[in-house]
Amino acid sequence: MKSLTMGIRFSAAAMLLATAPIAAGQNIYKCTQGGQVAYTDHPCPGGNGELLHQADDTEVIDRYLRLGQDELAKRYADSRHLETLYQQRIDARRQALDEKAQRDADEAYAAQQRADEEQQQALADQAAERDRLQAENTALRQQNADYQNQLSQPVYNAPPAYWGAPPYPRRHRDRDHDGDHDHQPPPVSDKPIFHPCKQLAGGRTQC
């Protein structure tokens, strides 16, 4: 039963230390009043409490320094002739702050580097897209120019098959057969009959 009570007591003290970070560097007392148990950093009224944790000098000085109460830390150290320990904790505190400042500076520099790289990549992507669009526009302009040039060129077509050929001369026997010696057929031209063609869009021709 006693071991169980001790286990509960130390578990409660551990919970107090975990839930109250400021308790580091403080004495922890267990006080019982009217059947109620309370934990505090001050001695219990009437001295009836139980000291669960005794803060050492290093914890006390560090707590003062962490809270920015350097004067109280120095006063505590001087009252106990702990000047050397005080200076050690001051140096450790300063080193920790310097290391934190260096980490913050490194993180800020890395973040800035990433931002610069992302900006440079974005600019490169924009330039590549601009060049691609410009190349496509140039190709379209060239195609249009070639098309306009084709439309402006004269069309030279070989004589189509449907051009009229000179008709065969009528034979004398046809005249004899008709019995009409006075009627003469119209003169026959030996030139082909030309039908003009029309130029259509797309380089096509309609005749």
Side-chain angles (χ1 to χ4, degrees), residues 97-172:
L97 293 176
D98 292 343
E99 291 175 354
K100 182 180 184 303
Q102 185 61 45
R103 287 194 302 270
D104 293 343
D106 293 341
E107 292 176 359
Y109 177 77
Q112 184 62 41
Q113 287 291 103
R114 290 192 298 269
D116 292 343
E117 291 175 359
E118 292 175 357
Q119 183 179 9
Q120 292 296 328
Q121 184 62 44
L123 293 176
D125 294 341
Q126 292 177 2
E129 181 66 12
R130 184 170 57 252
D131 293 342
R132 184 184 67 81
L133 294 176
Q134 184 175 0
E136 291 182 356
N137 187 46
T138 301
L140 291 175
R141 288 178 180 272
Q142 184 62 41
Q143 291 178 3
N144 185 60
D146 294 342
Y147 176 70
Q148 295 295 333
N149 185 46
Q150 291 176 3
L151 292 179
S152 64
Q153 296 295 327
V155 179
Y156 298 97
N157 294 321
Y162 56 81
W163 279 21
Y168 295 103
R170 299 182 64 183
R171 301 180 182 275
H172 292 287

Side-chain angles (χ1 to χ4, degrees), residues 21-26 41 57-69 73:
I22 197 173
Q26 295 177 341
D41 59 341
D57 297 328
T58 300
E59 291 177 343
V60 174
I61 294 174
D62 285 347
R63 176 174 177 270
Y64 283 135
L65 294 177
R66 185 170 58 253
L67 296 176
Q69 299 173 342

